[in-house]
């Protein structure tokens, strides 16, 4: 009996595992309505340092839960294309106009999101854009178990990508960003809360209760 209870309690304990992002939709920057509104906003960062509200989401210039290990920035330079379409196209263009980046020999860097709730499903959306003539054909990879590739130009407009992950027991998510010869870059990022995962602990305790009731019978 003790062995069975110990086994059930072990199964009920949350598993420790690295959070892998499952990348899904991606595309060229086109319209402000491509900014996801799924679930509820956890945090959104506009690295230019100013607040911009786009498609109902406010991208803060001073995030508290998102940071990068690469810190260089250039204001009013990265986005030289016309404003994207949509009702908030001008704000979208302003947000894309700056980036956190690092040049060679620093070819990789990390984006870190903290204070996540373990077991909860989150959505992350990232942007890689630089439409200057020097730099509008640079592909970077965003990796957390799986890899997303985004090009800065993509016909002059840069790209965005969306993925989902379940926060692990540490409540921290890291995304490695790499460029083959020009280093990491990030223009914008948002993290949204989707739905909690089914509680493994509750399922395990429920099974334990059922076994005890059967024993008493």
């Amino acid at each position: 009996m003790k062995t069975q209870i110990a086994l059930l309690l072990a199964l009920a304990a949350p598993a420790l595992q690295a959070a892998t992002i499952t990348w899904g939709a991606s595309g060229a920057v086109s319209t402000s309505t491509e900014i996801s509104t799924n679930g509820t906003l956890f945090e959104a960062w506009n690295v230019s340092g100013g607040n911009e509200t786009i498609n109902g989401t406010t991208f803060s210039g001073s995030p508290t839960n998102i940071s990068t290990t690469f810190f260089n920035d250039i204001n009013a330079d990265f986005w030289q294309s016309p404003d994207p379409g949509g009702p908030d196209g001008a704000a979208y263009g302003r947000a894309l106009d700056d980036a956190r980046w690092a040049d060679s020999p620093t070819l990789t860097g990390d984006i870190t999101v903290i204070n996540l709730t373990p077991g909860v499903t989150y959505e992350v959306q990232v942007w890689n854009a630089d439409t200057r003539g020097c730099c509008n054909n640079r592909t970077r990879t965003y990796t957390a178990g799986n890899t997303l590739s985004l090009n800065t130009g993509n016909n002059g407009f840069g790209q965005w990508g969306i993925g989902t992950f379940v926060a692990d027991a540490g409540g921290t998510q890291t995304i490695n960003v790499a460029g083959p010869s020009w280093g990491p870059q990030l223009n914008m990022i948002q993290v949204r809360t989707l739905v909690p995962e089914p509680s493994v602990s509750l399922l395990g305790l429920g099974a334990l209760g059922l076994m005890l009731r059967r024993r008493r019978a």
Side-chain angles (χ1 to χ4, degrees), residues 12 23 61 71 99 102 110 115 120 145 147 167-168 179 181-182 185 189 192 203 211 213:
W23 298 105
F71 301 105
D110 291 330
N115 294 324
V120 170
T147 296
D168 65 14
S181 60
W182 37 73
Q185 178 177 307
I189 181 172
R192 306 188 69 88
L203 290 173
M211 177 178 287
R213 285 196 298 273

Side-chain angles (χ1 to χ4, degrees), residues 113-170:
V113 185
I114 62 173
N115 294 324
L116 300 167
T117 301
V120 170
T121 301
Y122 292 88
E123 177 186 87
V124 59
Q125 185 173 17
V126 294
W127 284 260
N128 180 38
D130 187 348
T131 63
R132 297 173 297 169
C134 66
C135 313
N136 61 6
N137 189 27
R138 294 183 172 183
T139 297
R140 292 180 173 88
T141 58
Y142 300 77
T143 302
N146 297 313
T147 296
L148 168 74
S149 295
L150 299 177
N151 189 272
T152 54
N154 198 61
N155 298 320
F157 295 102
Q159 289 185 297
W160 54 267
I162 292 177
T164 59
F165 65 94
V166 178
D168 65 14

Side-chain angles (χ1 to χ4, degrees), residues 28-35 53-56 79 82-94 96 157:
V29 171
S30 176
T31 174
S32 60
T33 57
E34 68 206 12
I35 291 178
T53 300
I54 312 165
N55 201 30
W79 186 258
D83 288 335
D88 302 311
Y92 197 6
R94 289 193 297 270
L96 291 166
F157 295 102

Side-chain angles (χ1 to χ4, degrees), residues 167-185:
D168 65 14
T172 297
Q173 177 66 40
T174 300
I175 304 170
N176 180 260
V177 188
S181 60
W182 37 73
Q185 178 177 307

Side-chain angles (χ1 to χ4, degrees), residues 45 47 67-74 98-102 110 184:
W45 184 18
V47 305
S67 62
T68 65
T69 58
F70 42 99
F71 301 105
N72 296 327
D73 58 31
I74 296 177
D98 197 25
R100 287 279 186 261
W101 56 276
D110 291 330

